Amino acid sequence: VLVVCGHHDPATPARERLNGVDVLRTPVRLRIGKGIVSPSFVPTVARAARRARVVNLHLPMLEAGPIALAVRGTPIVSTYQCDVTLPGGVLDQGQVLALDASHRLALRRSEAVAVSSADYAQHSKLYAAMDD
């Protein structure tokens, strides 16, 4: 098992093995609210996916759509945690639109989607993409 994530905490190593799981953290170049920008994240996941039997995406994640496009031949399973809502400014609304588009693409390309409950999924604004 390999976990690829952003290296958001400089106190952690870029690579390590935790309880038998390899962890690879990509450099973070910018923070936007709770989000991070790591330009090497998508290519790193795409390279790892070529050797994987399955890719598990945990959403919300802005890079989900680009990863879903980059991953060819490896099944994707998406774990959808929640719809994203932000206070309402123009920048916030732009972020939500970008996230929703990225998530919609990833969900449609997923072999399976896991959510906390069927009720949550049915009331999500992205339910149609989960049900494809």
Side-chain angles (χ1 to χ4, degrees):
V1 174
L2 171 66
V3 172
V4 180
C5 56
H7 196 180
H8 66 281
D9 181 356
T12 59
R15 290 179 161 269
E16 70 178 318
R17 182 173 212 126
L18 295 170
N19 300 319
V21 175
D22 292 315
V23 178
L24 175 59
R25 298 178 181 94
T26 61
V28 172
R29 299 292 177 228
L30 179 68
R31 294 176 186 275
I32 302 171
K34 292 181 180 180
I36 59 172
V37 176
S38 178
S40 62
F41 184 72
V42 172
T44 300
V45 173
R47 276 192 307 278
R50 288 194 285 271
R51 298 183 310 273
R53 291 187 186 162
V54 67
V55 171
N56 183 210
L57 298 177
H58 287 262
L59 312 178
M61 176 176 36
L62 181 59
E63 301 89 349
I67 288 170
L69 290 174
V71 171
R72 299 286 184 193
T74 305
I76 298 170
V77 173
S78 289
T79 303
Y80 191 75
Q81 308 292 346
C82 63
D83 290 345
V84 174
T85 57
L86 294 173
V90 173
L91 182 58
D92 289 347
Q93 293 310 308
Q95 288 176 331
V96 170
L97 289 172
L99 282 162
D100 287 350
S102 181
H103 296 157
R104 195 172 285 109
L105 175 59
L107 292 168
R108 287 192 171 130
R109 294 188 57 93
S110 295
E111 297 290 322
V113 177
V115 293
S116 56
S117 71
D119 181 62
Y120 181 82
Q122 291 166 353
H123 291 90
S124 168
K125 61 185 169 181
L126 298 179
Y127 180 63
M130 293 177 204
D131 200 36
D132 282 351

